[in-house]
Amino acid sequence: MIKNIFFIPTAVLLFSACSHNNQSIEKQIAKDNSSNKKEIILSYDEYKKQYDSKNQKVINKPFNTNSYLLSKQYESTLSSSNKQENDTSTLSSQLPKKTQVFSDFYNEWKNVKYKMGGTSKNGIDCSAFTQKIYKEKFNITLPRTTITQVNVGTEVKKSELIPGDLVFFKTSKTDKHVGVYVGDNKFLHASIKGIQYTSLDKPFYKKNYWTSRRIID
């Protein structure tokens, strides 16, 4: 009887102690949960570490309007860059074709003599020569004279010439001369010496250079 009486208080104390411990644990868990609910501000690198490769998402990453705007700006820049590269690539692919066209035309006309007012292989002048090139090779009709051809197309700088541009010279107070730029700082024209290639750096033409016009891209 004494043993049973002694056992009951002991059990009560043990239960009371367990209950107290459980309450303490529950309070601690509640405290931890409360602290976990607080907003956590992490750096970009820390967020990057939380990247979930399975779901392809960034866990708890806040919406950043700046990152969206930057990506749009980058996309626009990239698009513009690609366009410029494509334009340059297209232009570069056309240059060998133009160069070959001028080479072929030179071979067809290289033995023709210069003749003021001439328009055929019996004799031809500079503006008739450029007119023939554009009509026969590009199906473009240019005006007949140098002074009218200089008003066709768009003006380009000498440093920006590409094959096919017309180059003009003031050879005297009244006379004008025209030829077709073919690349490598040279132009093809009907000179008083006949059909020939001439360097733009040749002193006479360098001194008397007037302007350039782009008829085709």
Coordinates of all heavy atoms in Angstrom, one line a residue, residues 146-208:
T146 N 27.3 64.9 -117.8 CA 27.9 64.9 -116.4 C 27.2 65.8 -115.5 O 26.9 65.5 -114.3 CB 29.4 65.3 -116.6 OG1 30.0 64.4 -117.4 CG2 30.0 65.3 -115.2
I147 N 26.8 67.0 -116.0 CA 26.2 68.0 -115.2 C 24.8 67.6 -114.7 O 24.3 68.1 -113.7 CB 26.2 69.4 -115.9 CG1 26.0 70.6 -114.9 CG2 25.1 69.4 -116.9 CD1 27.2 70.7 -113.9
T148 N 24.2 66.7 -115.4 CA 22.8 66.2 -115.0 C 23.0 64.9 -114.1 O 22.2 64.7 -113.2 CB 21.9 65.9 -116.2 OG1 22.6 65.1 -117.1 CG2 21.5 67.2 -116.9
Q149 N 24.0 64.2 -114.4 CA 24.2 62.9 -113.6 C 24.6 63.3 -112.2 O 24.3 62.5 -111.2 CB 25.3 62.1 -114.2 CG 24.9 61.4 -115.5 CD 26.0 60.5 -116.1 OE1 27.0 60.3 -115.5 NE2 25.8 60.1 -117.3
V150 N 25.2 64.4 -111.9 CA 25.7 64.8 -110.6 C 24.5 65.1 -109.7 O 24.6 65.2 -108.4 CB 26.6 66.0 -110.7 CG1 25.8 67.3 -110.9 CG2 27.5 66.1 -109.4
N151 N 23.3 65.2 -110.2 CA 22.1 65.5 -109.4 C 21.3 64.2 -109.1 O 20.2 64.3 -108.5 CB 21.2 66.5 -110.1 CG 21.9 67.9 -110.3 OD1 22.4 68.4 -109.3 ND2 21.8 68.5 -111.4
V152 N 21.8 63.1 -109.6 CA 21.1 61.8 -109.4 C 21.6 61.1 -108.1 O 22.8 61.2 -107.8 CB 21.3 60.9 -110.6 CG1 20.6 59.5 -110.4 CG2 20.7 61.6 -111.9
G153 N 20.8 60.3 -107.5 CA 21.2 59.6 -106.3 C 21.4 60.5 -105.1 O 20.9 61.6 -105.0
T154 N 22.3 60.0 -104.2 CA 22.6 60.7 -102.9 C 24.1 60.9 -102.8 O 24.9 60.1 -103.2 CB 22.1 59.9 -101.7 OG1 22.7 58.6 -101.7 CG2 20.6 59.8 -101.7
E155 N 24.4 62.1 -102.3 CA 25.8 62.4 -102.1 C 26.5 61.5 -101.0 O 25.9 61.3 -100.0 CB 26.0 63.9 -101.7 CG 27.4 64.4 -101.7 CD 27.5 65.8 -101.4 OE1 26.5 66.5 -101.2 OE2 28.7 66.4 -101.4
V156 N 27.7 61.1 -101.3 CA 28.5 60.3 -100.3 C 29.9 60.9 -100.2 O 30.4 61.5 -101.1 CB 28.6 58.8 -100.7 CG1 27.2 58.2 -100.6 CG2 29.2 58.7 -102.1
K157 N 30.4 60.7 -99.0 CA 31.8 61.2 -98.7 C 32.8 60.4 -99.5 O 32.6 59.2 -99.7 CB 32.1 61.2 -97.3 CG 31.3 62.1 -96.4 CD 31.6 61.9 -94.9 CE 30.8 62.8 -94.0 NZ 31.1 62.7 -92.6
K158 N 33.9 61.0 -99.9 CA 35.0 60.3 -100.6 C 35.5 59.1 -99.8 O 35.8 58.1 -100.3 CB 36.1 61.3 -100.9 CG 37.2 60.7 -101.8 CD 38.2 61.8 -102.2 CE 39.3 61.3 -103.1 NZ 40.3 62.3 -103.4
S159 N 35.5 59.3 -98.5 CA 36.0 58.2 -97.6 C 35.1 57.1 -97.4 O 35.4 56.0 -96.9 CB 36.3 58.8 -96.2 OG 35.2 59.4 -95.6
E160 N 33.8 57.2 -97.9 CA 32.8 56.2 -97.8 C 32.4 55.6 -99.1 O 31.3 54.9 -99.2 CB 31.6 56.8 -97.0 CG 31.9 57.3 -95.6 CD 30.7 57.9 -95.0 OE1 29.7 58.1 -95.7 OE2 30.8 58.3 -93.8
L161 N 33.2 55.7 -100.1 CA 32.8 55.2 -101.4 C 32.8 53.7 -101.4 O 33.5 53.0 -100.8 CB 33.9 55.6 -102.5 CG 33.9 57.1 -102.8 CD1 35.1 57.4 -103.7 CD2 32.6 57.5 -103.6
I162 N 31.8 53.1 -102.2 CA 31.7 51.7 -102.5 C 31.6 51.5 -104.0 O 31.2 52.4 -104.7 CB 30.5 51.1 -101.8 CG1 29.2 51.7 -102.3 CG2 30.6 51.2 -100.3 CD1 27.9 51.0 -101.8
P163 N 32.0 50.3 -104.5 CA 31.9 50.1 -105.9 C 30.5 50.4 -106.5 O 29.5 50.0 -105.9 CB 32.2 48.6 -106.0 CG 33.1 48.3 -104.9 CD 32.6 49.2 -103.8
G164 N 30.5 51.2 -107.6 CA 29.2 51.6 -108.2 C 28.9 53.0 -108.0 O 28.1 53.6 -108.8
D165 N 29.6 53.7 -107.0 CA 29.4 55.1 -106.8 C 30.0 55.9 -108.0 O 31.0 55.5 -108.5 CB 30.0 55.6 -105.5 CG 29.3 55.0 -104.3 OD1 28.1 54.6 -104.4 OD2 29.9 55.1 -103.2
L166 N 29.3 57.0 -108.4 CA 29.8 57.9 -109.4 C 30.7 58.9 -108.8 O 30.4 59.4 -107.7 CB 28.7 58.6 -110.2 CG 27.7 57.7 -111.0 CD1 26.7 58.6 -111.7 CD2 28.5 56.9 -112.0
V167 N 31.9 59.1 -109.4 CA 32.8 60.1 -108.9 C 33.0 61.2 -109.9 O 33.1 61.0 -111.1 CB 34.2 59.5 -108.6 CG1 34.1 58.7 -107.3 CG2 34.7 58.6 -109.7
F168 N 32.9 62.5 -109.4 CA 32.9 63.6 -110.3 C 34.2 64.5 -110.1 O 34.6 64.6 -109.0 CB 31.7 64.4 -110.1 CG 30.4 63.7 -110.5 CD1 29.8 62.9 -109.6 CD2 29.8 63.8 -111.8 CE1 28.6 62.2 -109.9 CE2 28.7 63.2 -112.1 CZ 28.1 62.3 -111.2
F169 N 34.6 65.2 -111.2 CA 35.8 66.0 -111.1 C 35.5 67.3 -111.9 O 34.8 67.3 -112.9 CB 37.0 65.3 -111.7 CG 37.3 64.0 -111.1 CD1 36.6 62.8 -111.6 CD2 38.1 63.8 -110.0 CE1 36.9 61.6 -111.1 CE2 38.3 62.6 -109.5 CZ 37.7 61.4 -110.0
K170 N 36.1 68.4 -111.4 CA 36.0 69.7 -112.1 C 37.4 69.8 -112.8 O 38.4 70.2 -112.1 CB 35.8 70.8 -111.2 CG 34.3 70.9 -110.7 CD 34.1 72.1 -109.8 CE 32.7 72.1 -109.3 NZ 32.4 73.3 -108.4
T171 N 37.5 69.4 -114.0 CA 38.8 69.4 -114.7 C 39.2 70.7 -115.3 O 40.4 70.9 -115.6 CB 38.8 68.4 -115.9 OG1 37.7 68.6 -116.7 CG2 38.6 66.9 -115.3
S172 N 38.3 71.7 -115.3 CA 38.6 73.0 -115.7 C 37.5 73.9 -115.2 O 36.6 73.5 -114.5 CB 38.8 73.2 -117.2 OG 37.5 73.1 -117.8
K173 N 37.5 75.2 -115.5 CA 36.5 76.1 -115.0 C 35.1 75.8 -115.6 O 34.1 76.0 -115.0 CB 36.9 77.5 -115.4 CG 38.0 78.1 -114.6 CD 38.3 79.5 -115.0 CE 39.5 80.1 -114.2 NZ 39.7 81.5 -114.5
T174 N 35.1 75.1 -116.8 CA 33.9 74.8 -117.4 C 33.6 73.3 -117.6 O 32.5 72.9 -117.8 CB 33.8 75.5 -118.8 OG1 34.9 75.1 -119.6 CG2 33.8 77.0 -118.7
D175 N 34.7 72.5 -117.7 CA 34.6 71.1 -118.0 C 34.4 70.2 -116.7 O 35.1 70.5 -115.7 CB 35.8 70.6 -118.7 CG 35.9 71.2 -120.1 OD1 34.9 71.5 -120.7 OD2 37.1 71.4 -120.5
K176 N 33.6 69.2 -116.8 CA 33.4 68.3 -115.7 C 33.6 66.9 -116.2 O 33.5 66.6 -117.4 CB 31.9 68.4 -115.2 CG 31.4 69.8 -114.9 CD 32.2 70.3 -113.7 CE 31.6 71.7 -113.3 NZ 31.7 72.8 -114.3
H177 N 34.0 66.0 -115.3 CA 34.4 64.6 -115.7 C 33.7 63.7 -114.7 O 33.5 64.0 -113.5 CB 35.9 64.4 -115.7 CG 36.3 63.1 -116.3 ND1 36.1 62.7 -117.5 CD2 37.0 62.1 -115.6 CE1 36.6 61.5 -117.7 NE2 37.1 61.1 -116.6
V178 N 33.4 62.4 -115.2 CA 32.7 61.5 -114.3 C 33.2 60.1 -114.6 O 33.6 59.7 -115.8 CB 31.2 61.5 -114.5 CG1 30.8 61.1 -115.9 CG2 30.5 60.6 -113.5
G179 N 33.3 59.2 -113.6 CA 33.7 57.9 -113.7 C 33.0 57.0 -112.7 O 32.2 57.6 -111.9
V180 N 33.2 55.7 -112.7 CA 32.5 54.8 -111.7 C 33.6 54.2 -110.8 O 34.6 53.6 -111.2 CB 31.8 53.7 -112.4 CG1 31.1 52.8 -111.4 CG2 30.8 54.2 -113.4
Y181 N 33.4 54.4 -109.5 CA 34.3 53.9 -108.5 C 34.2 52.3 -108.5 O 33.0 51.8 -108.5 CB 34.0 54.4 -107.1 CG 34.9 54.0 -106.0 CD1 36.2 54.5 -106.0 CD2 34.6 53.0 -105.1 CE1 37.1 54.1 -105.0 CE2 35.5 52.6 -104.1 CZ 36.7 53.1 -104.1 OH 37.6 52.7 -103.1
V182 N 35.3 51.6 -108.5 CA 35.3 50.2 -108.6 C 36.0 49.5 -107.4 O 36.1 48.3 -107.3 CB 36.0 49.7 -109.9 CG1 35.2 50.1 -111.1 CG2 37.4 50.2 -109.9
G183 N 36.4 50.3 -106.4 CA 37.1 49.7 -105.2 C 38.6 49.9 -105.3 O 39.2 50.3 -106.4
D184 N 39.3 49.6 -104.2 CA 40.7 49.8 -104.1 C 41.2 51.2 -104.5 O 42.3 51.4 -105.1 CB 41.4 48.8 -105.0 CG 41.2 47.3 -104.5 OD1 41.1 47.1 -103.3 OD2 41.1 46.4 -105.4
N185 N 40.4 52.2 -104.2 CA 40.7 53.6 -104.5 C 40.9 53.9 -106.0 O 41.6 54.8 -106.3 CB 41.9 54.0 -103.7 CG 42.0 55.5 -103.4 OD1 40.9 56.1 -103.0 ND2 43.1 56.1 -103.5
K186 N 40.2 53.1 -106.8 CA 40.3 53.3 -108.3 C 38.9 53.5 -108.9 O 37.9 53.1 -108.3 CB 40.9 52.1 -108.9 CG 42.4 51.9 -108.5 CD 43.0 50.6 -109.2 CE 44.4 50.4 -108.8 NZ 45.0 49.2 -109.5
F187 N 38.9 54.2 -110.0 CA 37.6 54.4 -110.7 C 37.8 54.1 -112.2 O 38.9 54.2 -112.8 CB 37.1 55.8 -110.6 CG 37.9 56.9 -111.2 CD1 37.5 57.5 -112.4 CD2 39.0 57.4 -110.5 CE1 38.2 58.5 -112.9 CE2 39.8 58.4 -111.1 CZ 39.4 59.0 -112.3
L188 N 36.8 53.6 -112.8 CA 36.8 53.2 -114.3 C 36.1 54.4 -115.0 O 35.0 54.8 -114.7 CB 36.0 51.9 -114.5 CG 35.9 51.4 -115.9 CD1 37.3 51.1 -116.5 CD2 35.0 50.1 -115.9
H189 N 36.7 54.8 -116.1 CA 36.2 56.0 -116.9 C 36.7 56.0 -118.3 O 37.6 55.3 -118.7 CB 36.5 57.3 -116.2 CG 38.0 57.5 -116.1 ND1 38.5 58.8 -116.4 CD2 39.1 56.8 -115.7 CE1 39.9 58.7 -116.2 NE2 40.2 57.5 -115.8
A190 N 36.0 56.8 -119.1 CA 36.5 57.1 -120.4 C 37.3 58.4 -120.4 O 36.7 59.5 -120.3 CB 35.3 57.2 -121.4
S191 N 38.6 58.3 -120.4 CA 39.5 59.4 -120.4 C 39.9 59.8 -121.8 O 39.6 59.0 -122.8 CB 40.7 59.2 -119.5 OG 41.6 58.3 -120.2
I192 N 40.7 60.8 -122.0 CA 41.1 61.2 -123.3 C 42.1 60.2 -123.8 O 42.4 60.1 -125.0 CB 41.8 62.6 -123.3 CG1 43.0 62.6 -122.3 CG2 40.8 63.7 -123.0 CD1 43.7 63.9 -122.3
K193 N 42.6 59.3 -122.9 CA 43.5 58.2 -123.3 C 42.8 56.9 -123.6 O 43.4 55.9 -123.9 CB 44.6 58.0 -122.3 CG 45.5 59.2 -122.1 CD 46.5 58.9 -121.0 CE 47.5 60.1 -120.8 NZ 48.5 59.8 -119.7
G194 N 41.4 56.9 -123.5 CA 40.6 55.8 -123.7 C 40.0 55.2 -122.4 O 40.1 55.9 -121.4
I195 N 39.5 54.0 -122.5 CA 38.8 53.4 -121.3 C 39.9 52.9 -120.4 O 40.7 52.1 -120.8 CB 37.9 52.3 -121.7 CG1 36.9 52.7 -122.8 CG2 37.1 51.7 -120.5 CD1 36.1 53.9 -122.4
Q196 N 39.9 53.3 -119.1 CA 41.0 52.9 -118.2 C 40.6 53.0 -116.8 O 39.6 53.7 -116.4 CB 42.2 53.7 -118.5 CG 42.1 55.1 -118.2 CD 43.4 55.9 -118.4 OE1 44.3 55.5 -119.1 NE2 43.5 57.1 -117.9
Y197 N 41.4 52.3 -115.9 CA 41.3 52.4 -114.5 C 42.3 53.5 -114.0 O 43.4 53.5 -114.5 CB 41.6 51.1 -113.8 CG 40.6 50.0 -114.0 CD1 40.8 49.0 -114.9 CD2 39.5 49.9 -113.2 CE1 40.0 47.9 -115.1 CE2 38.6 48.8 -113.4 CZ 38.8 47.9 -114.3 OH 37.9 46.8 -114.5
T198 N 41.8 54.3 -113.1 CA 42.7 55.4 -112.6 C 42.6 55.5 -111.1 O 41.5 55.3 -110.6 CB 42.4 56.7 -113.3 OG1 42.5 56.6 -114.7 CG2 43.4 57.8 -112.8
S199 N 43.7 55.7 -110.4 CA 43.7 55.9 -109.0 C 43.1 57.3 -108.6 O 43.5 58.3 -109.3 CB 45.1 55.7 -108.4 OG 45.1 56.1 -107.0
L200 N 42.3 57.3 -107.6 CA 41.8 58.6 -107.1 C 43.0 59.4 -106.5 O 42.8 60.7 -106.3 CB 40.8 58.4 -106.0 CG 39.4 57.9 -106.5 CD1 38.5 57.6 -105.3 CD2 38.7 59.0 -107.4
D201 N 44.1 58.8 -106.2 CA 45.2 59.5 -105.6 C 46.2 60.1 -106.7 O 47.1 60.8 -106.4 CB 46.1 58.6 -104.7 CG 45.4 58.3 -103.4 OD1 44.6 59.2 -102.9 OD2 45.6 57.2 -102.8
K202 N 45.8 59.8 -107.9 CA 46.6 60.4 -109.0 C 46.5 62.0 -108.9 O 45.4 62.5 -108.7 CB 46.1 60.0 -110.4 CG 47.0 60.5 -111.5 CD 46.5 59.8 -112.9 CE 47.4 60.3 -114.0 NZ 47.0 59.7 -115.3
P203 N 47.6 62.7 -108.8 CA 47.6 64.1 -108.5 C 46.5 64.9 -109.2 O 45.8 65.7 -108.6 CB 49.0 64.6 -108.9 CG 49.8 63.3 -108.7 CD 49.0 62.2 -109.0
F204 N 46.4 64.7 -110.6 CA 45.4 65.5 -111.3 C 44.0 65.3 -110.8 O 43.2 66.3 -110.6 CB 45.5 65.1 -112.8 CG 44.4 65.9 -113.6 CD1 44.6 67.2 -114.0 CD2 43.3 65.2 -114.0 CE1 43.7 67.8 -114.8 CE2 42.3 65.9 -114.8 CZ 42.5 67.2 -115.2
Y205 N 43.6 64.1 -110.6 CA 42.2 63.8 -110.1 C 42.1 64.0 -108.6 O 41.0 64.4 -108.2 CB 41.9 62.3 -110.5 CG 41.7 62.1 -112.0 CD1 42.7 61.5 -112.7 CD2 40.6 62.6 -112.6 CE1 42.6 61.3 -114.1 CE2 40.5 62.4 -114.0 CZ 41.5 61.8 -114.7 OH 41.3 61.6 -116.1
K206 N 43.1 63.9 -107.9 CA 43.0 64.2 -106.4 C 42.8 65.7 -106.2 O 42.0 66.1 -105.4 CB 44.3 63.7 -105.7 CG 44.3 63.9 -104.2 CD 45.6 63.3 -103.6 CE 45.5 63.4 -102.1 NZ 46.7 62.8 -101.5
K207 N 43.5 66.5 -107.1 CA 43.4 67.9 -107.0 C 42.0 68.4 -107.4 O 41.4 69.4 -106.9 CB 44.5 68.6 -107.8 CG 44.4 70.1 -107.8 CD 45.5 70.7 -108.7 CE 45.4 72.2 -108.8 NZ 46.5 72.7 -109.8
N208 N 41.5 67.8 -108.5 CA 40.2 68.2 -109.1 C 39.0 67.5 -108.7 O 37.9 67.6 -109.3 CB 40.4 68.2 -110.6 CG 41.4 69.2 -111.1 OD1 41.3 70.4 -110.9 ND2 42.5 68.6 -111.7

